[in-house]
C-alpha cells in the first residue's frame, strides 16, 4: 500500500517583512494513481477566521489529471469560496487574488513532483 | 611615532561590553529610593477632558501619587507646563483637551512598576469627543477641526523660496510635468525604548535620559520649572538606538514633573506601543511641477510641500525651512518656487526620523526625475548627469556649491549595479521581472550650529576628551577618541571619553543631522591645538628652551634636535605642580537661510551631505511583491575616520530605509493607531537585507580633520526612490505613494493591464 500522500507542499506567502505572519498559507497534498489524481486536499490558512478546506472542490477532480486547466479550476474555486479577512497584510480583495495564485502554485508543485505530463506552467 | 588613527579600523572602545552584555544603558540605571511611573493615555483622538477619576488608583497598594494635567497647571512649582522646540505648545500631560489618541493624560507613581501598572488601569478619563482630523490636507482646509485654539488654521510652520522667474521659464519649456507623491508616517523604532529617571535634591534636578539632545533637554527642563540652567543636570548614557526618536524633548518633562509631585526619584520606561505614541515621522504630500528644455534640462520648477506635524509642533515650524532647502535635490534650479507648510493634525507628534524631512522629498524628486527621463526617452542616469550640481554652481538658495561630488556618486552606484546591462536573470520563473533604479540625494546639516569640546591632560598621565555628543550605536565615543588622539598625536587607547553629562561635558547642540563627527572633530582640534601650546609653554620653561624648540611626540615633549631631552606630558604637569590642564575648543558654523521664512536664501548648510543608491529588484507580477535583491550605496565622507563603522552607517541606512520603502507605515482607523507593535508594524528583518549589499564612502585621504563629512544618513533618503525606479524599470508601473506594498503594486499592474488592453 502506498502511503498517503505521494506529494505534498506548503506555500507561506508573506506580503511584508520576512518576520511577518503570512498573508496566505496553502498546504496541498495529493496521491496519484498513474497520471490520475487518486486523492487531493488543499487547505488555506491565514486568510479567514479558520483554516479553509473545500473537499467538494478537490473531490471533483479525482480521477482527472492535475494539468494546468485543473490547477486553475481548483485555484479559482478556492478563491471564489473563501471569504477572507482584511488587515495590514492585505485586503480581502488582495487575499482572494493571493488564494488563487498560491493554490495554483501549490498544485503546480504537486504536479511537478509527480512529473505530470506537460510539466509546470 | 604614533600613526594618525584617522582612517584606521580602530575597534569600538566598548565593543566587548556590548557583546558580553555589560554595557550600561539608561534602561539599566537605578537610583536609591526610586519609584516607578506608568502613563495613562487618551483613547480618543480629540476632545475636552471633563474629569479624570483618580480616587481608586490613589487608594491602591503602593501608589504614591496620581498626577493629571490639571495638577500640573495648578502647581506653583511649575513655571510653565509646556515645552517644545518650535512652539511651547505641548504639556507633559494633556491640560483641558486631548489632541491625539495615545496622548498622556495622567501618570501614576508607585513603589513598583507592577503596582503602577495596576493602578493606571483604574484611571478613567472622561472626554467629550470632538471632530478630529488625521490627514494633513484635510487639516489644512477651512472649517477643519482646530487642534490648537492658538492656531485656528492648524498652521504649523511655513517657508517659501523663490528664485529666478519660474513662470517665464515654464512658458518657454519644451515639456511640463506635474505629479504628486506621498509618504506615510513611520516610527524610528530604536531597540531601547524612551526611558529616564528624574531625581530632585535640594531644588536641583538630575535627569538620566535616553536622549540625543542632552543640553536642549536641560534647557527645556529649566524653563518648565523656572530654574537656572545650572540647577538642572542631564546625563545621557549610550543609547540603545536613537535614529531621531530620542531627539528634542520627549518624556523628560513628564518624568521630572512626576518626581516633583511624588517627592521621590521616579523612573519611567515606555512600552513599545508607547514609543509609537511618542514620536512619528512626518507624513507628507508633495506636488512637483517641472519644465524641461529639449535636452532635458530642468529650467523651471515649482514644488509644493505639505508635512503632517501631528498634534504638537516640536521641530515642524522651523523644520519646514529645511524641507524647502532639501527639496530641489542635487540639481541646478535657476528658476524655482518652493513652498513648505506644516499642519497640525490629531496624530502622534512628529520629530526626527533618520534623514529627517529629506526621505520624503527625495522620494518625490528622484521619482519625478525618473518619470521625466522615461517620458523624454532619455536614460535616467544620463538625465541626472545633465542636471546635477557641480562645484561653483549656484544652488536654489543662491549659495555657491563647493566640495560637490554628486556626479561621482551617481557613476559609482550606476557602475556597481551594472547600469545599462540587462537585469534579467537565468532561472527566474516567468512571474518574476527584474529592474534597476538609481537615486541621488542631498541633505543639509543644521546651520548655523555649535559644538564645544574639551580635552584635559593630567599629571597622572591620563588624557580625557569631553563632548556632549551621544553614542547611540554609531560608535561616537570611539570616533571622539580617534579625533582627539589624531589632534594630539597619541594613540586612541590613551584617550578616555566621558559620557554626556551637562554638569561636566560642554555644550553641544544635538547628536543629529549627521553633524557630530564634523563638528566635534573641529572643536576637538581647536582644544588640542591650545592644549599642546600650553604644554609646550610649560615644558619650555622647565627645559629652559624656546617654545618653538619644543615638539610633541607620543604624549611627551622633546627638544628639537635633542631627542634625549624628553619628558612625558604627565611629568611636565607634575613638575609644574599642575594636577590637570584642560582646554576647550568650539565649533560654530556660520550661515543660515531662514531669517525670512517667506524668502529663504543664503547658506543653508555649512556643507552638503551627498549620497546615492542603486537598487535591483525582483517583482512578482502575480502578487505585486517587491524583493530588493541588490543594493549599493555611496556617500561623500570627505575623510573616513573609521572605515568599518562608516560602511556600517551607509549599509545600515540602506537596511533601515527598506522598511518605509516596502512596508513600514502608521495605520489609523477612526483616529486610532492600529499597529503600534512590532507584530503589526513591520521593520526589515535580516532576511529582508538584499543578497548583495555594498557601499562606498568616497574620500580624499589627504584631507585634514576639519573637512570630514558625516555619513549617518547619506544613503537612507535615496533608498525609496531607487527601489521605486527599479520597480518601474521591472514592470512599467509608477508607484507615487509609499510604501510599495505588494497589494499597491498589484493594483497598479492591474490598472496598467486595463489601460494597455
Amino acid at each position: 500500500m502506498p502511503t498517503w500522500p505521494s506529494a505534498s507542499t506548503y506555500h507561506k506567502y508573506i506580503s511584508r517583512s520576512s518576520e511577518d505572519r503570512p498573508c496566505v498559507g496553502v498546504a496541498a497534498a495529493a496521491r496519484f494513481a498513474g497520471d490520475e489524481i487518486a486523492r487531493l486536499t488543499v487547505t488555506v490558512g491565514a486568510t479567514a477566521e479558520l483554516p479553509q478546506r473545500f473537499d467538494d472542490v478537490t473531490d471533483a477532480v479525482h480521477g482527472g489529471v492535475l494539468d494546468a486547466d485543473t490547477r486553475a479550476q481548483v485555484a479559482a474555486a478556492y478563491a471564489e469560496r473563501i471569504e477572507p479577512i482584511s488587515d495590514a497584510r492585505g485586503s480581502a480583495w488582495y487575499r482572494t487574488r493571493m488564494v488563487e495564485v498560491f493554490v495554483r502554485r501549490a498544485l503546480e508543485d504537486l504536479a511537478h513532483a509527480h512529473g505530470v505530463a506537460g510539466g509546470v506552467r | 611615532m604614533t600613526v594618525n588613527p584617522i582612517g584606521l579600523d580602530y575597534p569600538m572602545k566598548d565593543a566587548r561590553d556590548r557583546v558580553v552584555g555589560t554595557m550600561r544603558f539608561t534602561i539599566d540605571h537605578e537610583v536609591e529610593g526610586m519609584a516607578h511611573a506608568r502613563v495613562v493615555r487618551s483613547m480618543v483622538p480629540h476632545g475636552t477632558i471633563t474629569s479624570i477619576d483618580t480616587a481608586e488608583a490613589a487608594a491602591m497598594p503602593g501608589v504614591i501619587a496620581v498626577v493629571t494635567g490639571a495638577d500640573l497647571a495648578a502647581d506653583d512649582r511649575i513655571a510653565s507646563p509646556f515645552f517644545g522646540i518650535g512652539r511651547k505648545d505641548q504639556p507633559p500631560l494633556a491640560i483641558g483637551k486631548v489632541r491625539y489618541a495615545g496622548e498622556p493624560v495622567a501618570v501614576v507613581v508607585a513603589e513598583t512598576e507592577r503596582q503602577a501598572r495596576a493602578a493606571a488601569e483604574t484611571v478613567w478619563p472622561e472626554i467629550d469627543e470632538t471632530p478630529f482630523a488625521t490627514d494633513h490636507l484635510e487639516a489644512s482646509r477651512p472649517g477643519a477641526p482646530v487642534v490648537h485654539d492658538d492656531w485656528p488654521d492648524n498652521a504649523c510652520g511655513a517657508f517659501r523660496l523663490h528664485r529666478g522667474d519660474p513662470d517665464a521659464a515654464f512658458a518657454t519649456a519644451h515639456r511640463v510635468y506635474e505629479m504628486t507623491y506621498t509618504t506615510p508616517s513611520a516610527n524610528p523604532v530604536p531597540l531601547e525604548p524612551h526611558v529616564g529617571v528624574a531625581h530632585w535634591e535640594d531644588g536641583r534636578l538630575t535627569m538620566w535620559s535616553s536622549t540625543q539632545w542632552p543640553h536642549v533637554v536641560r534647557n527645556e527642563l529649566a524653563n518648565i520649572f523656572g530654574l537656572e540652567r545650572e540647577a538642572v543636570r542631564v546625563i545621557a548614557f549610550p543609547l540603545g538606538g536613537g535614529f531621531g526618536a530620542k531627539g528634542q524633548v520627549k518624556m523628560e518633562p513628564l518624568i521630572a514633573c512626576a518626581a516633583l509631585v511624588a517627592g521621590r526619584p521616579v523612573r519611567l520606561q515606555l512600552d513599545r506601543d508607547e514609543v509609537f505614541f511618542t514620536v512619528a515621522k512626518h507624513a507628507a504630500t508633495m506636488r512637483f511641477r517641472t519644465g524641461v528644455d529639449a535636452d532635458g534640462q530642468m529650467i523651471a520648477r515649482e514644488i509644493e510641500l505639505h508635512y503632517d506635524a501631528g498634534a504638537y509642533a516640536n521641530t515642524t515650524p522651523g523644520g519646514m525651512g529645511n524641507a524647502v532647502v532639501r527639496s530641489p535635490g542635487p540639481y541646478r534650479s535657476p528658476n524655482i518656487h518652493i513652498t513648505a507648510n506644516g499642519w497640525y493634525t490629531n496624530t502622534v507628534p512628529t520629530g526626527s526620523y533618520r534623514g529627517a524631512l529629506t526621505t520624503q522629498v527625495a522620494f518625490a524628486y528622484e521619482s519625478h526625475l525618473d518619470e521625466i527621463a522615461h517620458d523624454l526617452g532619455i536614460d535616467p542616469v544620463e538625465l541626472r548627469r545633465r542636471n546635477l550640481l557641480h562645484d561653483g554652481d549656484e544652488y536654489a538658495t543662491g549659495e555657491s556649491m563647493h566640495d560637490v561630488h554628486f556626479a561621482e556618486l551617481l557613476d559609482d552606484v550606476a557602475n556597481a549595479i551594472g547600469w545599462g546591462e540587462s537585469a534579467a536573470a537565468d532561472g527566474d520563473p516567468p512571474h518574476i521581472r527584474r529592474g534597476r533604479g538609481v537615486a541621488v540625494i542631498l541633505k543639509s546639516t543644521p546651520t548655523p550650529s555649535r559644538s564645544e569640546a574639551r580635552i584635559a591632560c593630567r599629571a597622572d598621565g591620563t588624557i580625557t576628551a569631553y563632548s556632549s555628543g551621544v553614542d547611540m550605536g554609531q560608535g561616537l565615543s570611539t570616533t571622539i577618541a580617534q579625533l582627539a588622539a589624531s589632534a594630539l598625536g597619541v594613540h586612541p587607547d590613551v584617550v578616555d571619553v566621558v559620557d554626556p553629562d551637562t554638569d561636566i561635558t560642554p555644550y553641544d547642540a544635538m547628536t543629529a543631522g549627521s553633524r557630530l563627527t564634523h563638528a566635534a572633530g573641529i572643536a576637538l582640534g581647536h582644544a588640542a591645538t591650545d592644549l599642546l601650546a600650553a604644554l609646550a609653554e610649560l615644558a619650555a620653561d622647565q627645559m629652559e628652551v624656546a617654545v618653538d624648540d619644543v615638539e610633541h611626540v607620543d604624549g611627551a615633549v622633546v627638544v628639537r634636535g635633542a631627542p634625549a631631552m624628553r619628558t612625558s606630558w604627565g611629568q611636565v604637569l607634575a613638575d609644574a605642580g599642575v594636577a590637570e590642564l584642560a582646554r576647550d575648543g568650539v565649533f560654530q558654523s556660520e550661515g543660515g537661510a531662514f531669517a525670512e521664512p517667506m524668502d529663504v536664501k543664503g547658506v543653508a548648510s555649512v556643507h552638503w551631505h551627498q549620497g546615492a543608491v542603486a537598487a535591483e529588484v525582483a517583482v512578482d507580477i502575480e502578487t505585486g511583491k517587491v524583493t530588493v535583491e541588490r543594493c549599493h550605496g555611496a556617500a561623500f565622507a570627505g575623510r573616513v575616520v573609521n572605515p568599518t563603522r562608516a560602511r556600517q552607517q551607509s549599509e545600515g541606512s540602506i537596511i533601515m530605509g527598506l522598511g518605509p520603502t516596502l512596508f513600514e507605515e502608521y495605520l489609523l482607523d477612526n483616529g486610532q493607531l492600529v499597529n503600534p507593535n512590532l507584530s503589526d508594524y513591520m521593520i526589515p528583518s535580516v532576511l529582508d537585507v538584499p543578497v548583495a549589499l555594498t557601499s562606498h564612502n568616497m574620500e580624499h585621504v589627504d584631507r585634514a580633520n576639519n573637512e570630514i563629512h558625516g555619513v549617518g544618513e547619506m544613503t537612507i533618503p535615496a533608498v525609496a526612490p531607487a527601489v521605486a525606479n527599479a520597480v518601474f524599470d521591472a514592470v512599467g508601473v509608477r508607484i507615487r505613494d509609499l510604501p510599495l506594498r505588494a497589494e499597491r503594486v498589484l493594483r497598479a499592474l492591474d490598472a496598467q493591464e486595463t489601460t494597455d488592453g
Side-chain angles (χ1 to χ4, degrees):
Chain A
M1 267 303 270
T3 53
W4 154 257
S6 48
S8 64
T9 188
Y10 177 64
H11 276 254
K12 177 177 175 178
Y13 172 59
I14 296 166
S15 57
R16 305 187 298 171
S17 153
S18 299
E19 298 223 332
D20 202 5
R21 296 194 291 277
C23 172
V24 169
V26 177
R31 184 157 60 81
F32 294 96
D35 272 353
E36 289 187 0
I37 303 165
R39 187 175 168 196
L40 175 68
T41 65
V42 175
T43 304
V44 176
T47 305
E49 305 266 321
L50 294 167
Q52 305 284 309
R53 188 172 129 183
F54 303 109
D55 285 346
D56 58 318
V57 170
T58 46
D59 287 352
V61 301
H62 288 174
V65 177
L66 195 54
D67 58 11
D69 285 348
T70 304
R71 301 189 298 249
Q73 174 194 329
V74 173
Y78 266 72
E80 171 73 27
R81 293 278 285 274
I82 291 176
E83 288 182 25
I85 58 166
S86 279
D87 67 13
R89 291 162 193 87
S91 68
W93 172 85
Y94 184 68
R95 276 195 162 90
T96 299
R97 283 282 290 267
M98 293 306 99
V99 167
E100 184 159 5
V101 168
F102 286 95
V103 169
R104 197 199 71 228
R105 288 188 187 177
L107 297 181
E108 285 167 357
D109 282 357
L110 300 183
H112 188 73
H114 187 62
V116 168
V120 184
R121 301 177 197 113
Chain B
M1 177 89 184
T2 298
V3 174
N4 183 2
I6 301 302
L8 298 184
D9 263 335
Y10 186 74
M12 281 169 76
K13 278 178 163 289
D14 46 26
R16 188 179 186 283
D17 282 334
R18 288 177 184 275
V19 171
V20 302
T22 49
M23 184 90 183
R24 191 159 176 241
F25 300 94
T26 305
I27 206 166
D28 303 312
H29 187 66
E30 295 185 353
V31 173
E32 193 176 340
M34 179 176 84
H36 298 265
R38 183 72 191 157
V39 179
V40 179
R41 294 176 182 273
S42 172
M43 301 293 284
V44 304
H46 202 191
T48 305
I49 301 170
T50 55
S51 68
I52 301 178
D53 186 355
T54 60
E56 186 181 346
M60 286 181 63
V63 171
I64 299 162
V66 185
V67 188
T68 67
D71 296 333
L72 301 185
D75 194 322
D76 59 13
R77 295 170 296 178
I78 299 172
S80 169
F82 294 93
F83 64 96
I85 301 295
R87 294 173 184 166
K88 305 254 178 270
D89 63 356
Q90 185 168 6
L93 297 166
I95 297 173
K97 70 182 277 188
V98 295
R99 296 183 173 87
Y100 70 98
E103 177 167 8
V105 294
V107 63
V108 177
V109 180
E111 295 294 343
T112 69
E113 193 173 344
R114 181 175 295 197
Q115 289 169 333
R117 279 179 189 271
E121 285 179 11
T122 70
V123 177
W124 191 256
E126 292 291 340
I127 299 170
D128 270 351
E129 294 187 46
T130 50
F132 60 87
T134 54
D135 177 87
H136 52 279
L137 293 185
E138 183 194 332
S140 74
R141 293 184 190 118
V146 175
V147 181
H148 291 266
D149 291 343
D150 286 348
W151 304 94
D153 52 4
N154 289 326
C156 192
F159 283 80
R160 175 181 170 276
L161 181 152
H162 188 89
R163 175 174 164 78
D165 189 346
D167 287 343
F170 273 117
T172 66
H174 169 62
R175 281 189 196 160
V176 175
Y177 299 89
E178 182 172 337
M179 287 96 180
T180 296
Y181 304 86
T182 70
T183 58
S185 192
N187 191 271
V189 194
L191 180 60
E192 177 195 43
H194 300 82
V195 57
V197 181
H199 188 191
W200 289 88
E201 276 180 307
D202 304 326
R204 193 161 194 269
L205 171 62
T206 303
M207 180 91 226
W208 291 264
S209 179
S210 58
T211 178
Q212 297 174 226
W213 297 37
H215 277 272
V216 171
V217 169
R218 179 194 65 168
N219 298 349
E220 283 281 281
L221 290 173
N223 187 65
I224 289 170
F225 298 106
L227 299 171
E228 296 297 319
R229 290 176 179 181
E230 291 69 29
V232 179
R233 178 183 189 183
V234 175
I235 299 170
F237 296 125
L239 306 185
F243 312 110
K246 295 165 183 172
Q248 303 96 38
V249 181
K250 293 293 184 286
M251 301 310 297
E252 296 89 352
L254 174 54
I255 303 170
C257 286
L260 182 72
V261 175
R264 291 271 294 274
V266 167
R267 177 183 190 272
L268 173 66
Q269 173 187 329
L270 298 188
D271 284 348
R272 179 56 58 186
D273 63 333
E274 296 180 290
V275 175
F276 281 91
F277 290 135
T278 299
V279 59
K281 176 182 174 179
H282 296 77
T285 303
M286 302 160 283
R287 184 176 64 83
F288 276 67
R289 181 166 170 253
T290 302
V292 295
D293 67 15
D295 290 332
Q297 303 267 359
M298 293 193 283
I299 57 169
R301 305 180 74 186
E302 186 181 288
I303 301 172
E304 179 188 340
L305 309 171
H306 299 276
Y307 280 72
D308 186 337
Y312 293 102
N314 193 21
T315 56
T316 304
M320 291 304 94
N322 288 320
V324 162
V325 300
R326 293 167 185 179
S327 65
Y331 303 107
R332 289 187 306 280
S333 305
N335 303 293
I336 187 164
H337 184 84
I338 311 170
T339 58
N341 289 83
W343 303 103
Y344 282 123
T345 62
N346 295 110
T347 62
V348 174
T350 51
S352 307
Y353 178 105
R354 196 178 195 177
L357 304 167
T358 307
T359 54
Q360 294 91 337
V361 289
F363 171 66
Y365 64 69
E366 281 301 83
S367 296
H368 187 57
L369 194 57
D370 228 63
E371 295 199 60
I372 295 170
H374 286 289
D375 187 73
L376 291 174
I378 298 174
D379 178 273
V381 169
E382 171 58 24
L383 186 65
R384 285 177 173 81
R385 284 197 191 108
R386 292 183 193 177
N387 284 282
L388 281 174
L389 290 160
H390 293 274
D391 272 339
D393 284 342
E394 273 196 10
Y395 188 51
T397 52
E399 66 197 281
S400 176
M401 299 300 274
H402 58 90
D403 208 7
V404 166
H405 303 273
F406 297 111
E408 296 159 69
L409 295 171
L410 174 62
D411 286 347
D412 182 78
V413 299
N415 290 335
I417 207 75
W419 189 260
E421 300 162 17
S422 168
D426 292 341
D428 275 347
H431 56 266
I432 294 296
R433 301 277 191 283
R434 285 173 191 267
R436 292 177 182 147
V438 299
V440 190
I441 67 97
L442 59 55
K443 183 175 185 289
S444 53
T445 190
T447 303
S449 78
R450 184 177 180 89
S451 284
E452 299 172 14
R454 179 179 306 131
I455 304 177
C457 188
R458 299 187 193 83
D460 63 8
T462 57
I463 301 170
T464 305
Y466 298 84
S467 159
S468 292
V470 179
D471 195 320
M472 44 197 186
Q474 84 282 51
L476 183 67
S477 58
T478 308
T479 298
I480 287 171
Q482 284 183 260
L483 291 164
S486 171
L488 293 169
V490 300
H491 192 280
D493 274 351
V494 303
V495 179
D496 290 324
V497 179
V498 172
D499 284 336
D501 176 340
T502 58
D503 268 12
I504 297 171
T505 53
Y507 179 81
D508 187 277
M510 64 188 93
T511 305
S514 302
R515 60 181 291 285
L516 244 297
T517 304
H518 176 76
I522 291 174
L524 287 163
H526 291 318
T529 300
D530 287 357
L531 183 63
L532 293 175
L535 283 164
E537 278 186 28
L538 284 176
D541 273 356
Q542 291 167 2
M543 294 168 158
E544 297 182 341
V545 297
V547 169
D548 290 346
D549 286 334
V550 173
E551 288 182 324
H552 296 282
V553 179
D554 289 347
V557 289
V558 297
V559 175
R560 199 184 308 273
M565 292 184 69
R566 176 191 179 102
T567 312
S568 72
W569 291 343
Q571 192 61 49
V572 169
L573 294 176
D575 291 350
V578 175
E580 176 182 290
L581 184 66
R583 287 292 182 271
D584 285 5
V586 174
F587 163 83
Q588 175 67 58
S589 60
E590 305 297 334
F594 307 124
E596 297 288 338
M598 289 300 109
D599 186 18
V600 171
K601 64 183 173 197
V603 178
S605 192
V606 62
H607 61 229
W608 287 87
H609 294 315
Q610 304 160 46
V613 165
E616 179 180 311
V617 301
V619 182
D620 184 329
I621 57 170
E622 292 180 345
T623 66
K625 182 156 182 180
V626 176
T627 304
V628 180
E629 299 273 357
R630 297 168 62 207
C631 231
H632 178 82
F636 181 69
R639 177 82 170 98
V640 172
V641 176
N642 188 303
T644 295
R645 282 189 287 110
R647 179 177 63 77
Q648 287 165 341
Q649 284 280 20
S650 284
E651 293 173 15
S653 269
I654 289 174
I655 295 168
M656 185 170 174
L658 290 174
T661 301
L662 297 174
F663 35 67
E664 280 188 52
E665 57 185 328
Y666 271 37
L667 296 173
L668 295 169
D669 183 16
N670 200 27
Q672 305 279 336
L673 181 58
V674 296
N675 60 340
N677 59 70
L678 295 179
S679 175
D680 295 311
Y681 181 97
M682 290 288 109
I683 59 172
S685 82
V686 68
L687 293 174
D688 297 305
V689 176
V691 173
L693 174 61
T694 53
S695 65
H696 175 48
N697 281 301
M698 205 169 278
E699 66 172 330
H700 297 153
V701 293
D702 55 348
R703 286 207 171 192
N705 292 0
N706 61 1
E707 295 177 294
I708 295 167
H709 286 217
V711 292
E713 43 191 358
M714 302 313 103
T715 57
I716 189 169
V719 175
V723 171
N725 293 340
V727 168
F728 181 86
D729 185 49
V731 293
V733 298
R734 177 62 61 179
I735 309 292
R736 300 193 183 103
D737 308 287
L738 291 180
L740 305 172
R741 268 188 257 124
E743 178 166 348
R744 184 170 271 157
V745 174
L746 187 67
R747 285 182 187 273
L749 285 164
D750 280 4
Q752 176 195 46
E753 204 166 277
T754 308
T755 309
D756 292 352

